[in-house]
Amino acid sequence: MAEFIMELNDEQREVRDWIHGFAADVMRPAAAEWDEREETPWPVIQEAAKIGIYSLDFYAQQYFDPTGLGIPMAMEELFWGDAGIALSIVGTGLAAVGVLANGTEEQIGTWVPQMYGDANDVKVAAFCSSEPDAGSDVASMRTRAVYDEAKDEWVINGTKTWATNGGIANVHVVVASVDAELGSKGHASFIVPPNTPGLSQGQKFQKHGIRASHTAEVVLEDVRVPGSCLLGGKEKLDERLARARERAKAGGGERVKNAAMATFEASRPAVGAMAVGTARAAYEEALEYARTREQFGRPIIDNQGVAFQLADMRTSIDAARLLVWRASWMAVNGKPFTAAEGSQSKLFASETAKKVTAQAIQILGGNGFTREYPVERMHRDAAIYTIFEGTSEIQRLVIARTLSGMPIR
């Protein structure tokens, strides 16, 4: 087990500086344009692919960093550059994590490379879990997968929503119910290969923030996928469902983790790191502005009202980063989240991003309210962190249930 440390080593710092350079030189100059266009920034993704940032190898190296700091370090720097473009670059990672968390070695080797493509032909992937009537309430999922034993195929029907890269992805990972009576314990994840008949893009959402990231509905109408596209395989699924049914008959028992929850638990500290990156970017803009903006013959940072806000902003950002790093280290080293440390990191970091970006606007005053300064965009972007991959309310519920052991509602 790697020792928990609070600073990056030389190799990690080198990687951080490399990513930071890409964020500063490529992402930031393009951020306002793609925010206005509300389109996937394919040229920027391709540039990321050319230098190796958008690739399976890069994310694998960070994912398997024994300190656990590789992924949060990378996420923070990319989202410091721009949240919308960064989400377009890393959105494929959620689908990849879904396969890594639930798939067999053969499935991982087959499908994850197809999610990224290569520098000459970049691809993206989508993880499809939320539904119009089942966001946080995953037990209410209506998308169904039925096994056709004669053809060894699964037939999937339903509508997914809020899917990053939904409809434009090369590979979709879809969570569906295979046994509705078991609620969330009856869910499974499926690979939907490229060009599978019956899968189509529904509504594309026009969003408040992260507008360079494509978010849409995914409609599945009699979508047939081979039995080999069930993540983990049917034998493993049948065993898990049998255990869940036995526990249901016995009146409860040990909690059974479903595929979607396994993906979210693995990704929550990474989302916290994204929020830290956006918060840090806004703080740095506000700090520089406060140093150079003069009122009444002196820089506004000379005023306690401004200086104390900046002190609080920096303190909250550093605290959020430490929570993220702790949870990431625990996850990589197999330490259980006995106090819901993953949810703690996501909750605190996302709330920090919203607060810090709002404070940055206040420090910039009227300028902060205009699109001539990036803090306005950062504030819009920060709003998503308290919503996606589990709202702040859901994080508090997870933490409270973990601490109390009670079914708090």
Side-chain angles (χ1 to χ4, degrees):
M1 179 183 296
E3 182 182 358
F4 178 56
I5 57 176
M6 292 186 289
E7 63 178 355
L8 303 176
N9 59 38
D10 291 342
E11 182 179 349
Q12 289 167 330
R13 282 195 291 269
E14 184 176 341
V15 173
R16 179 200 61 191
D17 294 345
W18 171 55
I19 300 170
H20 184 85
F22 176 80
D25 298 339
V26 180
M27 295 174 65
R28 283 205 164 183
E33 175 189 350
W34 291 101
D35 179 71
E36 290 289 339
R37 291 175 63 169
E38 297 191 56
E39 297 175 359
T40 300
W42 291 108
V44 183
I45 299 174
Q46 187 168 34
E47 288 301 312
K50 285 180 180 178
I51 66 170
I53 288 179
Y54 186 76
S55 71
L56 172 60
D57 288 344
F58 171 73
Y59 287 106
Q61 289 174 11
Q62 306 314 313
Y63 186 83
F64 291 111
D65 182 337
T67 70
L69 303 185
I71 287 293
M73 174 269 294
M75 294 300 107
E76 179 176 337
E77 294 305 322
L78 287 170
F79 281 75
W80 172 90
D82 177 69
I85 293 177
L87 194 58
S88 288
I89 292 174
V90 308
T92 293
L94 186 58
V97 168
V99 177
L100 290 167
N102 303 294
T104 64
E105 289 186 9
E106 182 178 357
Q107 289 170 330
I108 293 169
T110 299
W111 296 111
V112 176
Q114 294 187 47
M115 294 179 173
Y116 290 94
D118 57 47
N120 297 317
D121 185 22
V122 293
K123 305 292 185 182
V124 294
F127 183 75
C128 308
S129 178
S130 294
E131 298 185 358
D133 297 317
S136 299
D137 184 12
V138 294
S140 298
M141 188 175 292
R142 295 183 180 180
T143 297
R144 298 288 185 264
V146 178
Y147 185 57
D148 183 342
E149 189 171 359
K151 295 184 177 180
D152 185 26
E153 292 180 338
W154 289 90
V155 185
I156 308 173
N157 283 280
T159 299
K160 294 297 181 178
T161 194
W162 310 122
T164 299
N165 298 328
I168 66 171
N170 193 48
V171 176
H172 290 76
V173 177
V174 176
V175 182
S177 173
V178 296
D179 188 331
E181 292 184 359
L182 293 176
S184 63
K185 298 177 180 66
H187 294 175
S189 290
F190 299 85
I191 292 286
V192 180
N195 304 313
T196 299
L199 184 148
S200 62
Q201 179 183 308
Q203 176 187 5
K204 178 187 175 183
F205 296 103
Q206 294 180 306
K207 305 188 298 295
H208 175 65
I210 54 167
R211 301 198 302 190
S213 174
H214 175 97
T215 311
E217 291 182 332
V218 174
V219 181
L220 304 110
E221 298 177 303
D222 291 329
V223 170
R224 286 182 169 268
V225 300
S228 60
C229 287
L230 166 64
L231 289 181
K234 193 168 187 304
E235 182 178 347
K236 183 177 179 181
L237 172 65
D238 289 342
E239 291 175 356
R240 178 166 62 81
L241 294 177
R243 291 196 302 270
R245 292 181 187 118
E246 286 299 318
R247 291 190 180 100
K249 289 179 182 178
E254 180 184 353
R255 175 176 175 247
V256 179
K257 185 183 296 182
N258 67 68
M261 289 299 101
T263 300
F264 289 139
E265 285 182 15
S267 63
R268 277 173 180 157
V271 176
M274 299 173 188
V276 171
T278 300
R280 193 185 104 212
Y283 159 76
E284 290 177 0
E285 291 287 338
L287 178 62
E288 180 61 23
Y289 186 89
R291 284 171 169 164
T292 57
R293 173 70 167 175
E294 291 192 1
Q295 290 285 283
F296 305 105
R298 62 181 184 177
I300 63 173
I301 199 171
D302 282 359
N303 299 308
Q304 282 189 2
V306 173
F308 284 9
Q309 281 195 76
L310 289 163
D312 287 343
M313 291 159 74
R314 176 60 185 266
T315 301
S316 295
I317 291 166
D318 285 0
R321 183 184 297 108
L322 289 173
L323 284 171
V324 166
W325 282 16
R326 180 185 67 170
S328 300
W329 171 79
M330 291 176 68
V332 166
N333 287 281
K335 293 183 71 67
F337 288 164
T338 56
E341 287 87 351
S343 289
Q344 284 185 36
S345 69
K346 200 267 186 184
L347 170 65
F348 189 80
S350 58
E351 293 291 343
T352 292
K354 281 185 67 174
K355 182 177 180 180
V356 165
T357 54
Q359 288 174 304
I361 289 178
Q362 193 68 24
I363 289 171
L364 269 68
N367 287 328
F369 200 64
T370 71
R371 294 189 182 181
E372 293 183 22
Y373 289 79
V375 293
E376 176 270 340
R377 184 179 68 252
M378 294 168 183
H379 184 52
R380 286 189 286 108
D381 291 341
I384 194 60
Y385 299 126
T386 62
I387 298 172
F388 72 173
E389 293 195 50
T391 63
S392 286
E393 291 73 22
I394 288 296
Q395 305 309 322
R396 292 185 176 100
L397 187 63
V398 170
I399 295 166
R401 284 176 173 175
T402 303
L403 296 177
S404 69
M406 302 296 290
I408 297 169
R409 298 183 183 277

